[in-house]
């Protein structure tokens, strides 16, 4: 059976590459060096797990999906994935990428999800947007591993419940554990803490709800799904920022890991949002093995 | 009922640099041209099949022609579609004159009367 060697849940700030690599040092924002150091430290948590395949979770931001046919949950099943979109290059300076896919695991995952009551859409023409490419840039910048992309709807209400995202994570975990392979699989997913886009709380000095951000980091750090499900609703997320529903993808990632303490937690308060980084090691912490060698 | 059609406009124009340039230069002409052709195409731009029932309400057309993102927010256009297209139209000019994020902050300030209230729904 496959080994789930790491689960990573992270925010995806689309300006990371522009802020830290594409802007000359003398013109960078003051937080740029610290941001880069934190991202590089986070990258090591994935590198240490020595993955062969990445199961990637994110959300399309109206780049491919539209209201004429908006999927609730979708998996890509392709040999190759293009990224990114013209309007993301325009807005964020994210370059184009081509990633290998892993069609066999995509197919196994799709069947396993359907068998568990998750009626997924499937695409053979999925282009990846910044919710998946940003974590590639930060955690696997060479883009050298095959990916299985899973998209969730956190953007076009009505949305599935936080519990549904947790349950989907639990199902993905079962399927990875059952996958007949000697490969090491890492799950890497991205979402948001409190976030406002196109509303009166956007681009403030902090994220729209710093109190929620601190609480959310504590919940995820401790694997405290009971507190999340007791406190986080669509209404409460709206109260924390009109795009805070991306938090549900972080709940999904914790669902893959299980109700366990994270092995690695870090965060960074940027000018209008809180960045956060979590890693779980379901098969044991590879950094301890490395340290004991 | 036609907020869908407004969102379709924002979605299609934001993803096409030629349409975007035309929307910046001549908004009324671009809105009319889009409504006569691309907006009528099924889904994301089918070249042959057409949808017949969609139309812009007068206040929706006015908001699109006037680049009135406050009105669009209040009528329930999707916040992300609005933000990205208006950043594309205005951010570069504002940044050059008033510094980074100046357009985004003005955008927020113009919506400040919604602070503390439930926002208009963007539900399908």
């Amino acid at each position: 059976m496959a080994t789930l060697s790491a689960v990573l849940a992270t925010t995806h700030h689309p300006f990371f590459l522009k802020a830290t690599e594409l802007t000359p040092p003398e013109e960078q924002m003051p937080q740029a060096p610290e941001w880069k150091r934190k991202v590089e430290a986070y990258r090591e948590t994935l590198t240490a797990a020595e993955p062969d395949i990445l199961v990637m979770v994110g959300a399309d931001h109206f780049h491919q999906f539209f209201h004429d046919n908006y999927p609730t949950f979708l998996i890509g099943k392709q040999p190759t994935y293009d990224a990114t979109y013209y309007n993301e290059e325009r807005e964020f300076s994210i370059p184009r990428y081509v990633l290998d896919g892993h069609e066999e695991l995509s197919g196994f995952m799709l069947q396993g999800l359907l068998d568990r009551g998750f009626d997924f859409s499937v695409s053979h023409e999925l282009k990846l947007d910044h919710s998946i490419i940003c974590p590639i840039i930060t955690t696997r910048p060479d883009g050298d591993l095959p990916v299985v992309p899973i998209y969730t709807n956190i953007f076009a209400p009505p949305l599935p419940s936080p519990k549904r995202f947790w349950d989907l994570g639990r199902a993905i975990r079962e399927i990875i554990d059952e996958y007949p392979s000697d490969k090491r699989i890492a799950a890497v997913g991205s979402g948001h803490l409190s976030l406002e886009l196109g509303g009166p709380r956007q681009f403030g000095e902090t994220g729209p709800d710093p109190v929620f951000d601190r609480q959310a980091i504590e919940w995820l750090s401790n694997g405290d799904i009971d507190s999340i499900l007791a406190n986080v609703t669509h209404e409460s997320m709206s109260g924390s920022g009109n795009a805070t529903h991306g938090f549900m993808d972080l709940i999904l990632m914790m669902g893959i890991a299980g109700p366990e303490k994270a092995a690695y937690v870090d965060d960074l308060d940027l000018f209008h949002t809180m960045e956060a980084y979590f890693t779980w090691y379901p098969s044991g912490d590879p950094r301890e093995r490395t340290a004991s060698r | 009922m036609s907020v869908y059609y407004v969102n379709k406009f924002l979605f299609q124009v934001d993803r096409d640099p030629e349409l975007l340039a035309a929307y910046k230069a001549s908004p009324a002409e671009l809105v009319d041209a889009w409504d006569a052709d691309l907006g009528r195409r099924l889904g994301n731009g089918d070249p042959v099949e057409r949808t017949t029932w969609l139309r812009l309400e007068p206040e929706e057309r006015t908001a699109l022609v006037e680049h009135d993102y406050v009105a669009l927010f209040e009528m329930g256009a999707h916040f992300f579609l609005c933000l990205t297209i208006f950043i594309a139209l205005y951010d570069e000019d504002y940044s050059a004159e008033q510094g980074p994020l100046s357009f985004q902050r003005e955008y927020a300030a113009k919506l400040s009367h919604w602070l503390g209230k439930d926002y208009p729904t963007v539900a399908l």
Side-chain angles (χ1 to χ4, degrees), chain B residues 55-69:
Chain B
R55 64 188 170 91
L56 292 172
E57 299 295 338
E59 62 272 23
E60 293 170 336
R61 184 184 179 281
T62 298
L64 290 174
V65 167
E66 295 182 353
H67 293 181
D68 187 349
Y69 50 82

Side-chain angles (χ1 to χ4, degrees), chain A residues 62 65-70 155-156, chain B residues 3-4 7 78 81 122 124:
Chain A
F62 285 121
F65 301 160
F66 185 62
H67 290 163
D68 64 315
N69 189 4
Y70 205 108
F155 234 39
Chain B
V3 171
Y4 170 82
N7 281 329
H78 197 280
L81 291 166
V122 296
L124 297 172

Side-chain angles (χ1 to χ4, degrees), chain A residues 3-274:
Chain A
T3 299
L4 178 60
S5 62
V7 179
L8 277 70
T10 173
T11 48
H12 61 246
H13 200 306
F15 279 107
F16 171 74
L17 192 65
K18 184 175 184 179
T20 63
E21 301 284 352
L22 304 181
T23 301
E26 64 274 15
E27 297 173 20
Q28 289 180 2
M29 56 193 280
Q31 302 100 322
E34 183 184 16
W35 194 2
K36 189 175 179 186
R37 281 195 301 274
K38 283 178 177 280
V39 162
E40 288 173 350
Y42 187 51
R43 183 180 306 154
E44 286 303 310
T45 72
L46 178 63
T47 306
E50 299 179 325
D52 301 307
I53 306 170
L54 300 179
V55 172
M56 307 282 302
V57 175
D60 178 84
H61 295 71
F62 285 121
H63 292 118
Q64 179 156 347
F65 301 160
F66 185 62
H67 290 163
D68 64 315
N69 189 4
Y70 205 108
T72 299
F73 299 120
L74 178 143
I75 188 167
K77 187 172 179 289
Q78 301 168 206
T80 305
Y81 296 93
D82 293 305
T84 59
Y85 287 82
Y86 144 75
N87 48 9
E88 297 182 285
E89 291 184 271
R90 178 193 74 204
E91 197 165 327
F92 309 129
S93 303
I94 298 175
R96 300 207 168 189
Y97 288 83
V98 178
L99 300 180
D100 288 341
H102 199 291
E103 288 183 278
E104 182 183 288
L105 179 54
S106 282
F108 187 82
M109 183 72 70
L110 174 60
Q111 186 63 58
L113 289 164
L114 291 168
D115 291 346
R116 287 165 176 78
F118 291 90
D119 300 328
F120 258 61
S121 300
V122 61
S123 177
H124 294 275
E125 197 175 346
L126 178 65
K127 190 167 185 174
L128 304 179
D129 91 347
H130 72 268
S131 70
I132 285 180
I133 281 303
C134 288
I136 288 290
I137 290 169
T138 52
T139 67
R140 197 76 183 183
D142 289 342
D144 58 344
L145 296 177
V147 301
V148 172
I150 292 173
Y151 269 141
T152 65
N153 176 14
I154 50 90
F155 234 39
L159 306 175
S161 68
K163 174 70 160 49
R164 187 69 170 162
F165 279 73
W166 168 259
D167 289 343
L168 176 57
R170 296 274 66 202
I172 292 170
R173 168 61 178 273
E174 285 184 7
I175 296 161
I176 291 174
D177 285 346
E178 291 178 5
Y179 183 51
S181 167
D182 60 0
K183 299 294 187 186
R184 296 172 64 83
I185 298 173
V188 180
S190 76
H192 316 135
L193 297 175
S194 75
L195 184 63
E196 177 100 343
L197 299 170
R201 293 171 289 179
Q202 69 177 1
F203 294 98
E205 294 306 311
T206 69
D209 191 345
V211 173
F212 169 79
D213 292 343
R214 283 287 157 211
Q215 184 68 77
I217 289 170
E218 184 179 333
W219 287 330
L220 291 169
S221 301
N222 292 321
D224 189 356
I225 186 59
D226 291 340
S227 292
I228 289 175
L229 296 183
N231 290 283
V232 178
T233 64
H234 290 151
E235 291 72 25
S236 77
M237 286 186 282
S238 294
S240 296
N242 66 351
T244 303
H245 299 79
F247 180 61
M248 293 191 293
D249 276 339
L250 303 184
I251 299 173
L252 188 162
M253 298 313 296
M254 194 171 79
I256 300 175
E260 310 289 341
K261 283 183 179 292
Y264 181 93
V265 180
D266 199 6
D267 59 67
L268 177 65
D269 202 355
L270 281 172
F271 56 95
H272 70 109
T273 188
M274 178 73 82

Side-chain angles (χ1 to χ4, degrees), chain B residues 15-49:
Chain B
R15 65 198 293 111
D16 185 320
E18 290 184 13
L19 292 176
L20 196 63
Y23 185 42
K24 185 172 184 175
S26 306
E29 288 78 0
L30 186 276
V31 170
D32 287 345
W34 176 86
D35 184 37
D37 180 22
L38 188 55
R40 302 281 160 191
R41 299 188 195 184
L42 199 61
N44 289 347
D46 187 291
V48 175
E49 301 298 338

